[in-house]
Amino acid sequence: DAGVIQSPRHEVTEMGQEVTLRCKPISGHNSLFWYRQTMMRGLELLIYFNNNVPIDDSGMPEDRFSAKMPNASFSTLKIQPSEPRDSAVYFCASSSARFLPYGYTFGSGTRLTVV
Amino acid sequence: AQTVTQSQPEMSVQEAETVTLSCTYDTSESNYYLFWYKQPPSRQMILVIRQEAYKQQNATENRFSVNFQKAAKSFSLKISDSQLGDTAMYFCAFFISNFGNEKLTFGTGTRLTIIP
């Protein structure tokens, strides 16, 4: 089991550019979560999917952020246009719906720097 | 809405000593789950220990144990015989399993440093 795989590990981009973060959940997991971690706000849930369907996107900060899960093995988080305040570590996590109360498995995160 | 509060931003302790990290939470739910996650400098989020609210017995995992006080809404983590590898950020987290509200809510974290 390779765990939750996120790419890239680091991303540096210029303000105004489009950024796409990628996540491959653990095979068989049908719940997927995107979190953002900053010093000021800690870990915030942005959006979560169950069976590829977005269930709660109330944490998505604004329309510049969008997330998709076209199939059970892939999800993307896109920021367009990016701004310096989007700089953060973005985590993807997955779990089986039956095992949600047992905790999630997190990826290693993508550190995004917008200059 | 559920909230999780960790009132100790930073702590340090000598190697081999015991340290306790505090966490309080607020909820109107009666059935929920509590977690402690560890985030070492590698950035990986690692599940340390888990507690089910309906269980009175405190969870233990080797050197890690919790003191769960449901009435007080308190969930502290005790690390015994601390090791250098325990140096990390520790996050307390709260989960309820209601369809449409199945999300893990994190506290702001405690940065723990183990001093050689």
Side-chain angles (χ1 to χ4, degrees):
Chain A
D1 184 357
V4 176
I5 300 172
Q6 289 187 248
S7 64
R9 185 160 173 80
H10 304 278
E11 176 79 34
V12 180
T13 190
E14 291 185 349
M15 183 174 63
Q17 295 298 307
E18 177 180 295
V19 177
T20 299
L21 310 182
R22 297 172 176 78
C23 175
K24 176 179 170 58
I26 290 174
S27 178
H29 283 189
N30 57 351
S31 295
L32 184 139
F33 307 83
W34 283 100
Y35 280 84
R36 177 172 68 176
Q37 184 179 27
T38 62
M39 289 292 293
M40 293 297 294
R41 301 174 68 91
L43 278 154
E44 305 172 277
L45 178 66
L46 300 178
I47 186 170
Y48 86 89
F49 295 86
N50 194 33
N51 292 324
N52 311 338
V53 176
I55 301 299
D56 182 358
D57 65 354
S58 60
M60 295 287 264
E62 48 196 278
D63 292 345
R64 297 185 296 107
F65 286 70
S66 62
K68 294 182 179 179
M69 192 165 186
N71 57 61
S73 59
F74 185 65
S75 177
T76 60
L77 178 66
K78 185 176 294 186
I79 308 172
Q80 165 64 20
S82 58
E83 297 182 4
R85 59 193 170 116
D86 301 331
S87 297
V89 178
Y90 291 82
F91 285 99
C92 175
S94 72
S95 182
S96 169
R98 288 191 301 131
F99 297 108
L100 281 172
Y102 289 85
Y104 308 163
T105 301
F106 283 80
S108 298
T110 295
R111 180 178 294 281
L112 174 65
T113 303
V114 183
V115 297
Chain B
Q2 284 68 233
T3 60
V4 181
T5 302
Q6 294 180 251
S7 58
Q8 304 154 311
E10 294 188 21
M11 295 185 72
S12 60
V13 66
Q14 292 284 339
E15 189 177 5
E17 291 186 349
T18 295
V19 60
T20 299
L21 310 182
S22 301
C23 172
T24 58
Y25 57 93
D26 187 25
T27 183
S28 57
E29 301 287 335
S30 59
N31 188 26
Y32 49 87
Y33 303 82
L34 295 161
F35 303 84
W36 280 97
Y37 276 85
K38 169 184 177 182
Q39 186 180 40
S42 67
R43 201 166 78 199
Q44 185 71 44
M45 293 288 287
I46 302 165
L47 178 62
V48 175
I49 198 165
R50 166 184 175 274
Q51 175 79 40
E52 298 159 354
Y54 63 86
K55 288 188 176 180
Q56 292 186 341
Q57 186 174 3
N58 289 324
T60 62
E61 288 288 342
N62 301 314
R63 298 183 295 108
F64 298 87
S65 61
V66 300
N67 183 5
F68 174 47
Q69 301 290 328
K70 190 172 184 178
K73 297 180 180 176
S74 170
F75 183 60
S76 61
L77 174 70
K78 185 172 81 171
I79 305 174
S80 303
D81 185 25
S82 57
Q83 301 175 358
L84 297 179
D86 296 333
T87 292
M89 283 288 288
Y90 286 82
F91 293 95
C92 178
F94 176 98
F95 177 87
I96 57 171
S97 185
N98 291 334
F99 184 75
N101 193 22
E102 296 151 329
K103 59 184 180 183
L104 207 53
T105 301
F106 287 89
T108 53
T110 296
R111 183 176 302 279
L112 175 65
T113 301
I114 308 300
I115 303 168

